[in-house]
Amino acid sequence: QVQLVQSGGGSVQAGGSLKLSCTVSGTYNSYCMAWFRLAPEKEREGVAVIGSYGRTNYADSVKGRFTISRDNGKNTLYLEMNGLKPEDTAMYYCATKRVAAWFAPHCSTRLDYDYWGQGTQVTVSS
């Protein structure tokens, strides 16, 4: 059973920074891991994704401001958020999906992810 436990988040003023963590238990060799966010009255947005080979991809709305990374030794996924804007306010979720090794370089937030974290709120005030 794969479990994802999130930490981090909180409230910050515009221009500030936050770092989200997602610790994964029960991992596998080939995977996609991603961060999503859900804001009131908006559709879920895929924020960033990383595959087991380290290839990353970002939504245009966060490119250049957010960085996704993982620490394999700690089985932890991170999302470092800089230059935060009020429109970044949302509940953030991490997710993971087991994939075949050949697919790992093609990870995308458009996949159907199997396991999800509990969510953590990020609030950015102007």
Side-chain angles (χ1 to χ4, degrees), residues 35-107:
W35 288 97
F36 294 83
R37 64 186 181 186
L38 183 62
E41 300 181 356
K42 292 186 178 180
E43 292 187 355
R44 188 181 70 191
E45 181 184 16
V47 174
V49 63
I50 187 168
S52 47
Y53 295 141
R55 185 172 179 176
T56 60
N57 203 2
Y58 297 89
D60 288 342
S61 58
V62 305
K63 203 169 292 184
R65 300 187 298 122
F66 290 12
T67 301
I68 187 171
S69 63
R70 73 186 192 282
D71 184 329
N72 291 332
K74 296 181 179 179
N75 285 341
T76 301
L77 177 73
Y78 301 101
L79 184 68
E80 187 167 1
M81 304 181 292
N82 299 312
L84 282 162
K85 305 175 181 179
E87 51 264 43
D88 294 319
T89 296
M91 186 74 78
Y92 284 71
Y93 297 88
C94 60
T96 187
K97 178 181 179 65
R98 184 177 184 177
V99 298
W102 65 266
F103 187 83
H106 307 287
C107 288

